């Protein structure tokens, strides 16, 4: 654990309730199902398949908002 924390842990975190809930969700496979059924994830998957997250389209989208890509921005994380 880190020496300095940004936030103090909640009572649930200290008692281990959060860890237990996550473990149960993983064991039952609920998190896998939620990834397929939650609306925000569905929209994200459709956008991904349509190619809206490709570097070229991202550059066009940023340029239209007034932010111009630099050489460092073109060679990003993806």
């Amino acid at each position: 654990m880190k020496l300095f924390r940004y936030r103090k842990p909640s009572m649930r975190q200290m008692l281990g309730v959060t860890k237990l809930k996550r473990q149960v969700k993983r064991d039952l496979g609920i998190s896998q199902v939620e990834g397929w059924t939650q609306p925000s994830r569905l929209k994200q998957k459709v956008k991904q398949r349509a190619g809206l997250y490709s570097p070229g389209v991202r550059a066009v989208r940023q340029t239209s908002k007034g932010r111009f890509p630099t050489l460092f921005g073109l060679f990003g994380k993806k």
Side-chain angles (χ1 to χ4, degrees):
M1 194 161 125
K2 296 180 183 178
L3 292 175
F4 299 102
R5 294 179 54 97
Y6 177 67
R7 294 171 54 175
K8 71 175 187 176
S10 67
M11 187 60 73
R12 291 172 63 114
Q13 182 80 27
M14 290 191 305
L15 292 176
V17 175
T18 307
K19 188 174 182 180
L20 183 66
K21 277 180 68 173
R22 285 182 184 165
Q23 189 62 42
V24 168
K25 273 186 147 186
R26 276 192 209 110
D27 290 343
L28 294 176
I30 292 173
S31 29
Q32 294 294 321
V33 174
E34 283 178 349
W36 286 97
T37 59
Q38 288 187 344
S40 60
R41 280 294 290 143
L42 289 174
K43 284 197 290 189
Q44 186 181 11
K45 282 184 183 182
V46 168
K47 289 179 183 179
Q48 178 76 32
R49 289 187 184 140
L52 291 181
Y53 294 128
S54 64
V57 176
R58 272 192 287 154
V60 169
R61 200 166 51 238
Q62 295 299 322
T63 306
S64 69
K65 291 181 182 177
R67 293 182 234 144
F68 298 99
T70 62
L71 287 177
F72 297 115
L74 290 177
F75 307 109
K77 303 168 203 151
K78 294 185 179 180

